Amino acid sequence: MSVPPRLSATAMFWWGVGLFAAGIVLNELLARRAGAYGSPELARVLQSVFGIGHIAGTAAYQLGIATLVGSFVVRALKDEWPLRQTQPKKPQKH
């Protein structure tokens, strides 16, 4: 049994763009925050404290890319979706 996707290709695309951008911004902010203090030891401590933020930023980045690619797949499948569901017509007998 196949179920059509619940998000449209357009919605998936924009969710992907948002996640991708959020991942880039979050990782950049964490990198600037950790490097702003100049001390390598302090930078290491801050990176460990901000580790969860880094994981969240990386996850958002990767999920954004996957969602962007998925939106193109959904769009391609959506175009052929009615073709897969139609039954061939039976010839009429007169």
Side-chain angles (χ1 to χ4, degrees):
M1 174 163 77
S2 52
V3 177
R6 294 178 186 233
L7 282 177
S8 68
T10 305
M12 282 183 72
F13 177 81
W14 288 113
W15 271 101
V17 168
L19 284 170
F20 182 72
I24 289 174
V25 169
L26 184 59
N27 282 332
E28 184 66 27
L29 286 175
L30 290 173
R32 286 181 187 225
R33 175 74 78 148
Y37 295 102
S39 168
E41 294 85 22
L42 184 59
R44 269 195 298 271
V45 170
L46 287 175
Q47 283 177 348
S48 66
V49 169
F50 292 141
I52 294 176
H54 177 68
I55 291 170
T58 303
Y61 177 81
Q62 292 175 352
L63 284 172
I65 291 173
T67 307
L68 282 170
V69 171
S71 72
F72 291 108
V73 171
V74 167
R75 187 173 131 209
L77 291 176
K78 180 184 165 196
D79 291 341
E80 66 180 49
W81 184 264
L83 297 176
R84 289 188 289 151
Q85 287 186 341
T86 57
Q87 303 274 332
K89 292 184 179 181
K90 296 179 182 178
Q92 294 180 356
K93 295 181 182 179
H94 293 280

